[in-house]
């Protein structure tokens, strides 16, 4: 009943926060320290974990519904936007998403008792533009009958572009024989932001018979912070990129639960947090209003500019303010169901989501992860990224001495830059020093679940006696050398009793002879 309840809770959380990228990399399990950044409960194998600036990890993700070839067309010596081709490829809701993350530093230490503590620093640049097909159709083809006499909801359009740095303190620890939990608290420093509020609402409606345009909007705002500093029009960019008053906090949470020796579920929710923007803030606010535009009087061409200002532009009443504002990070959730086919082979089913501008962006994946000895782990996955078709992804990690290399790529089939819509790449090098005890929560890795019915995570039975395992090698369990045990049975005991009686008889007879003398 307990396992059933935990499974239902896991599926409920994943369906509620339905991540966007790095499916193949997540399927590496606890193979690298960077996997702990996705799921704080994953503890890699080793004692000390060190990552140096830039070389320890670079992650780039681009996701667009339209490729270059689907947006532009060549006519003679000109390159033009092909609106018909664009509209033929767009779905109801679309996005352009770009992410670039760089690992600045990480240090982790795993205790012999199992827990791991860590410090991380990452530089992150993220941008998202969300838009609807009907909005594109309305802008590029306003006279199209499909765009007339219906509401176009601009509230489904949103923009966010952010540059910030995060510093994190993490702890991952086994709670009991089956559950490992992890948490990371992060301090955020923001450098630049361009965004629209997630609660902005706007509706446009055109009347084809009366040639009227009606519009109403609420909470429409364009917010910026740090742009003048980046342009070096104000302040000092160098000191701004070291520390400033744009600060915030975030949490990462993760858990891994071994149902039995064959199945494990693991999940995480990361980037639960916000940034308060206070420096170099400039907001353009479109005042809440509604109006109907009936056109202009063109009886005199000299009155055209004034007519447009009086009838249309003046309806867009904007004000400027410098009030601080808050933005929330796009919260990301991952969940995986793992089948341990063997100590070297795992099968994964993964689902996730990224919550951005009050919209869920879903991702799915399934794949297999294979270990080749202690030095190499690889995964091959079928991935379904947001607004993309199914594709293949692959990842690997290779270790030689204290140096560990890793790389992961999603959406790799038929990659051609002009035709490509999405790509996700991770690459880096870590230093892993020492060997720790226990595994994925305890150092063994996700493919080595606890032995059902035994006491302890690493317990086996040898000649009817429970013993601790030192390590696993394929299907074999390596245990400490056992003391030689005396073999006892009924016959041996009977022979010993007879021998003892015989010796006692001889001793008694000898004592009697001595007394007679």
């Amino acid at each position: 009943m307990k396992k059933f309840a935990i499974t239902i809770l896991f599926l409920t959380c994943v369906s509620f926060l339905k991540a966007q990228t790095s499916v193949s990399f997540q399927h590496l399990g606890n193979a690298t320290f960077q996997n702990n950044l996705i799921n704080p409960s994953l503890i890699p194998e080793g004692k000390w974990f060190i990552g140096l600036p830039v070389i320890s990890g670079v992650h780039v993700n681009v996701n667009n519904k339209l490729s270059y070839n689907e947006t532009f067309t060549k006519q003679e010596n000109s390159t033009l936007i092909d609106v018909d081709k664009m509209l033929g490829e767009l779905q109801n809701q679309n996005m352009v998403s770009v992410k670039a993350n760089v690992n600045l530093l990480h240090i982790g230490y795993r205790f012999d008792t199992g827990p791991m503590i860590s410090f991380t620093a990452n530089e992150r640049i993220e941008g998202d533009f969300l838009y609807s097909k009907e909005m594109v159709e309305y802008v590029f083809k306003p006279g199209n009958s499909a765009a007339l006499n219906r509401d176009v909801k601009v509230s489904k359009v949103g923009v966010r572009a952010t540059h910030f740095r995060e510093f994190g303190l993490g702890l991952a620890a086994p709670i009991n024989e089956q559950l490992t939990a992890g948490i990371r608290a992060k301090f955020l420093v923001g450098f630049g932001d361009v965004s629209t509020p997630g609660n902005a609402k706007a509706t446009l409606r055109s009347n084809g018979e009366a040639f009227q345009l009606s519009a109403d909007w609420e909470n429409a705002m364009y917010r910026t912070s740090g742009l003048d500093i980046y342009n070096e029009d104000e302040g000092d960019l160098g000191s701004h990129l070291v520390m400033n008053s744009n600060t915030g906090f975030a949490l990462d949470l993760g858990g891994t639960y071994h149902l039995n020796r064959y199945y494990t579920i693991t999940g995480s929710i990361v980037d639960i947090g916000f940034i308060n923007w206070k420096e170099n803030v400039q907001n353009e606010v479109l005042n809440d209003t509604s109006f109907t535009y009936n056109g202009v009087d063109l009886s005199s061409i000299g009155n055209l500019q004034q007519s447009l200002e009086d009838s249309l532009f003046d309806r867009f009443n904007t004000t400027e303010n410098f009030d601080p504002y808050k933005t929330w990070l796009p919260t990301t959730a991952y969940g995986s169901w793992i089948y341990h086919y063997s100590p070297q082979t795992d099968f994964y089913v993964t689902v996730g989501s990224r919550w951005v501008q009050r919209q869920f962006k879903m991702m799915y994946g399934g794949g297999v992860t294979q270990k080749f000895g202690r030095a190499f782990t690889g995964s091959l996955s079928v991935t379904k990224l947001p607004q993309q078709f199914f594709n293949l992804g692959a990842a690997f990690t290779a270790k030689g001495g204290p140096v560990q290399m890793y790389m992961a790529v999603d959406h790799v089939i038929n990659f051609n830059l002009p035709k490509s819509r999405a790509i996700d790449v991770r690459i880096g090098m870590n230093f892993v020093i020492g060997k720790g005890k226990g595994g994925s929560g305890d150092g063994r890795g996700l493919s080595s679940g606890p032995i059902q019915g035994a006491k302890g995570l690493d317990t086996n039975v040898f000649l009817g006696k429970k013993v601790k395992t030192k390590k696993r090698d394929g299907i074999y369990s390596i245990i400490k050398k056992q003391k030689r045990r005396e073999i006892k049975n009924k016959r041996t005991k009977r022979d010993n009793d007879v021998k003892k009686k015989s010796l006692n008889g001889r001793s008694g007879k000898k004592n009697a002879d001595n007394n007679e003398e």
Side-chain angles (χ1 to χ4, degrees):
M1 184 66 184
K2 178 181 177 182
K3 295 179 182 178
F4 177 77
I6 292 177
T7 302
I8 294 299
L9 178 62
F10 163 79
L11 294 175
T12 302
C13 291
V14 170
S15 62
F16 177 70
L17 279 173
K18 299 173 195 174
Q20 174 171 334
T21 64
S22 305
V23 187
S24 301
F25 185 71
Q26 181 168 337
H27 289 176
L28 288 177
N30 67 327
T32 72
F33 181 88
Q34 282 71 18
N35 290 99
N36 178 267
L37 301 180
I38 298 176
N39 185 333
S41 70
L42 298 179
I43 304 177
E45 299 180 13
K47 190 88 174 169
W48 285 95
F49 312 95
I50 301 173
L52 301 180
V54 183
I55 65 171
S56 62
V58 175
H59 175 211
V60 177
N61 170 264
V62 178
N63 192 330
N64 187 7
K65 180 58 182 175
L66 298 172
S67 68
Y68 178 87
N69 286 351
E70 292 167 342
T71 306
F72 300 97
T73 184
K74 288 187 177 182
Q75 291 185 1
E76 297 179 354
N77 296 327
S78 301
T79 301
L80 305 176
I81 297 177
D82 194 328
V83 179
D84 291 331
K85 188 185 295 184
M86 287 174 52
L87 294 174
E89 297 294 337
L90 291 178
Q91 55 191 30
N92 291 335
Q93 285 299 122
N94 309 273
M95 73 172 181
V96 179
S97 179
V98 179
K99 296 173 60 179
N101 299 343
V102 178
N103 294 140
L104 299 179
L105 178 69
H106 74 250
I107 300 175
Y109 176 76
R110 184 154 60 86
F111 296 93
D112 290 340
T113 53
M116 181 185 76
I117 57 174
S118 62
F119 170 79
T120 57
N122 299 292
E123 196 83 1
R124 298 174 57 175
I125 300 175
E126 301 179 356
D128 298 280
F129 172 50
L130 292 85
Y131 61 98
S132 62
K133 179 179 179 178
E134 62 180 1
M135 186 64 191
V136 175
E137 190 175 37
Y138 194 90
V139 170
F140 285 97
K141 289 192 172 185
N144 192 325
S145 59
L148 297 177
N149 303 316
R150 67 186 178 109
D151 293 341
V152 177
K153 297 186 179 299
V154 188
S155 56
K156 295 182 180 180
V157 177
V159 176
R160 66 169 295 274
T162 305
H163 174 201
F164 66 98
R165 185 177 300 139
E166 62 178 20
F167 302 92
L169 288 176
L171 172 65
I175 305 302
N176 53 40
E177 297 177 2
Q178 295 175 292
L179 176 64
T180 302
I183 184 172
R184 180 180 296 103
K186 299 189 292 189
F187 175 70
L188 311 178
V189 181
F191 303 121
D193 179 76
V194 175
S195 61
T196 57
N199 63 345
K201 299 179 181 179
T203 303
L204 301 176
R205 182 179 179 86
S206 56
N207 188 318
E209 296 180 359
F211 298 100
Q212 291 178 338
L213 171 66
S214 300
D216 61 84
W217 52 78
E218 180 182 350
N219 301 320
M221 184 187 303
Y222 177 73
R223 309 174 301 190
T224 66
S225 174
L227 293 191
D228 290 339
I229 298 178
Y230 275 94
N231 294 330
E232 299 185 352
D233 295 333
E234 181 179 322
D236 179 67
L237 181 60
S239 60
H240 180 75
L241 294 178
V242 174
M243 182 59 67
N244 59 68
S245 59
N246 299 327
T247 58
F249 299 92
L251 280 178
D252 297 344
L253 304 173
T256 299
Y257 187 80
H258 295 282
L259 294 171
N260 52 49
R261 67 184 303 173
Y262 296 108
Y263 297 103
T264 296
I265 56 175
T266 178
S268 64
I269 303 178
V270 299
D271 290 338
I272 311 171
F274 61 89
I275 299 177
N276 289 315
W277 301 94
K278 302 176 181 179
E279 288 201 8
N280 189 219
V281 173
Q282 185 174 351
N283 305 317
E284 295 289 341
V285 181
L286 190 61
N287 298 329
D288 296 353
T289 188
S290 61
F291 72 88
T292 298
Y293 173 62
N294 297 304
V296 297
D297 182 8
L298 298 179
S299 59
S300 175
I301 192 66
N303 295 331
L304 177 59
Q305 180 178 351
Q306 188 64 43
S307 298
L308 285 173
E309 291 179 357
D310 294 340
S311 62
L312 180 60
F313 297 152
D314 287 348
R315 306 296 181 91
F316 293 88
N317 297 319
T318 62
T319 57
E320 185 180 73
N321 66 55
F322 308 97
D323 300 334
Y325 63 94
K326 177 189 294 186
T327 60
W328 291 86
L329 301 183
T331 301
T332 302
Y334 293 93
S336 294
W337 182 283
I338 310 168
Y339 169 61
H340 307 299
Y341 179 77
S342 73
Q344 288 79 32
T345 307
D346 291 333
F347 290 93
Y348 281 76
V349 175
T350 298
V351 63
S353 171
R354 186 165 174 258
W355 173 248
V356 54
Q357 290 285 323
R358 299 195 175 190
Q359 295 183 35
F360 284 122
K361 298 302 176 183
M362 294 294 300
M363 173 221 69
Y364 307 93
V368 58
T369 299
Q370 180 69 37
K371 293 183 178 180
F372 300 90
R374 293 176 174 270
F376 187 89
T377 301
S379 74
L380 186 64
S381 304
V382 177
T383 62
K384 174 67 172 68
L385 302 183
Q387 68 183 10
Q388 307 299 334
F389 194 67
F390 289 95
N391 209 300
L392 282 183
F396 77 89
T397 174
K399 188 173 182 295
V403 179
Q404 181 189 53
M405 305 286 295
Y406 70 88
M407 183 176 182
V409 182
D410 282 344
H411 221 73
V412 298
I413 288 185
N414 298 326
F415 180 77
N416 182 301
L417 192 57
K419 298 180 180 179
S420 178
R421 294 178 173 181
I423 186 68
D424 185 275
V425 180
R426 287 179 183 262
I427 188 170
M429 180 180 73
N430 300 320
F431 294 94
V432 182
I433 303 172
K435 296 181 179 179
K437 299 179 181 179
S440 113
D442 49 352
R444 290 177 323 239
L446 292 179
S447 60
S448 304
I451 299 171
Q452 192 72 5
K455 294 181 179 180
L457 288 170
D458 293 305
T459 304
N460 271 323
V461 176
F462 178 73
L463 296 178
K465 181 182 178 182
K466 292 177 181 177
V467 295
K468 284 277 188 177
T469 60
K470 295 173 61 178
K471 62 180 181 179
R472 299 177 187 270
D473 186 5
I475 62 174
Y476 302 102
S477 296
I478 311 301
I479 64 176
K480 293 182 179 180
K481 185 177 180 179
Q482 302 296 300
K483 294 181 180 180
R484 185 184 296 275
R485 295 189 293 173
E486 183 179 356
I487 301 177
K488 295 182 179 181
N489 54 43
K490 292 183 178 180
R491 182 174 180 179
T492 301
K493 184 178 181 181
R494 185 171 60 252
D495 292 344
N496 289 339
D497 291 342
V498 171
K499 186 176 181 180
K500 184 176 181 180
K501 288 181 180 180
S502 176
L503 291 174
N504 290 338
R506 292 179 183 178
S507 176
K509 183 177 180 181
K510 184 175 181 179
N511 291 336
D513 292 342
N514 291 335
N515 291 333
E516 289 178 358
E517 292 178 357

